Amino acid sequence: MKLRLIISMVLVAVFLMTPASADMFDDLNDAVDEYNEKIDQVPGTLQSIFSDQHVILVIYMNENESENETIEAKGPAFELVLSEGPFVTESGVSMKMVAITDGDASVANFGKWSELDEQHYWNGVEFAETLVVTTNEDTARAILDSESPGATFTEAYDSGMIIIETSDRASMTTKISLAIMPVVMKLYALIS
């Protein structure tokens, strides 16, 4: 049971928390297949929260790397209100990524914010954001460098260094599921 929980948290952490460099984006894109292969190891409660979602991942960068194509301001013509968490960096520059998940929480499509067009479409499919995950580069790197990423993710989430929010387009089920997520995470920690 403990191993299953650790694997589950590692998978969720890897899916949600990727450092924002072109190399890391490529690494995450490569890791999507492995995440999808092990989706059955993610607890059902977490699968239900992350299933059938259009996710925006926002990572505040330590430095302004405007020449880096992954930090382009291009994207859909709608205003994204980001959390003012304790993780906002001095540069104020954030990198945005997008993902669409299937009914089992596996990643069906993963890409860069700049791939969305002005009409809010991505490869011909309307992107209707439902979850917004926000953190900073240091937290993302700490999770990836950690020997126990699940524990690092949980600690960062509990301390407010990772914020997961629903958007206006999220279903009531998603909003309720996300509201109880902290309780579920604490129960998993107690059980293990």
Side-chain angles (χ1 to χ4, degrees):
M1 179 67 171
K2 187 174 186 178
L3 177 62
R4 187 177 172 112
L5 173 64
I6 291 170
I7 290 171
S8 301
M9 294 310 298
V10 168
L11 291 173
V12 171
V14 167
F15 170 64
L16 295 176
M17 307 314 317
T18 300
S21 69
D23 293 336
M24 294 307 292
F25 176 85
D26 291 339
D27 290 345
L28 178 63
N29 202 21
D30 293 341
V32 166
D33 288 337
E34 183 177 351
Y35 168 80
N36 286 344
E37 287 172 10
K38 297 180 180 178
I39 196 67
D40 61 326
Q41 297 175 16
V42 175
T45 306
L46 291 176
Q47 277 188 0
S48 68
I49 292 171
F50 292 106
S51 66
D52 292 320
Q53 302 294 339
H54 288 199
V55 183
I56 299 174
L57 309 172
V58 180
I59 300 176
Y60 282 94
M61 300 300 294
N62 292 336
E63 297 177 19
N64 186 352
E65 300 175 15
S66 58
E67 67 278 0
N68 185 338
E69 72 165 299
T70 62
I71 308 178
E72 290 178 9
K74 291 186 226 170
F78 75 93
E79 185 147 337
L80 179 62
V81 179
L82 299 177
S83 292
E84 291 294 327
F87 44 70
V88 177
T89 57
E90 283 185 30
S91 76
V93 173
S94 63
M95 182 206 158
K96 299 174 192 77
M97 297 173 284
V98 290
I100 296 176
T101 62
D102 281 335
D104 64 352
S106 62
V107 178
N109 207 344
F110 179 78
K112 300 173 185 175
W113 172 263
S114 59
E115 294 171 353
L116 298 177
D117 68 19
E118 290 181 10
Q119 286 75 40
H120 217 168
Y121 280 80
W122 185 21
N123 296 327
V125 176
E126 183 178 13
F127 185 83
E129 76 286 354
T130 54
L131 293 176
V132 180
V133 179
T134 314
T135 192
N136 68 0
E137 184 178 2
D138 290 339
T139 302
R141 289 190 191 284
I143 291 169
L144 286 179
D145 294 342
S146 175
E147 290 185 19
S148 54
T152 305
F153 170 84
T154 300
E155 183 180 313
Y157 179 79
D158 288 344
S159 69
M161 293 302 289
I162 297 171
I163 295 179
I164 304 171
E165 302 169 293
T166 57
S167 75
D168 292 340
R169 296 186 191 212
S171 69
M172 187 56 68
T173 303
T174 298
K175 291 176 182 181
I176 291 169
S177 296
L178 191 60
I180 64 169
M181 186 173 148
V183 174
V184 171
M185 289 178 72
K186 286 181 182 171
L187 285 175
Y188 279 126
L190 287 174
I191 290 170
S192 65

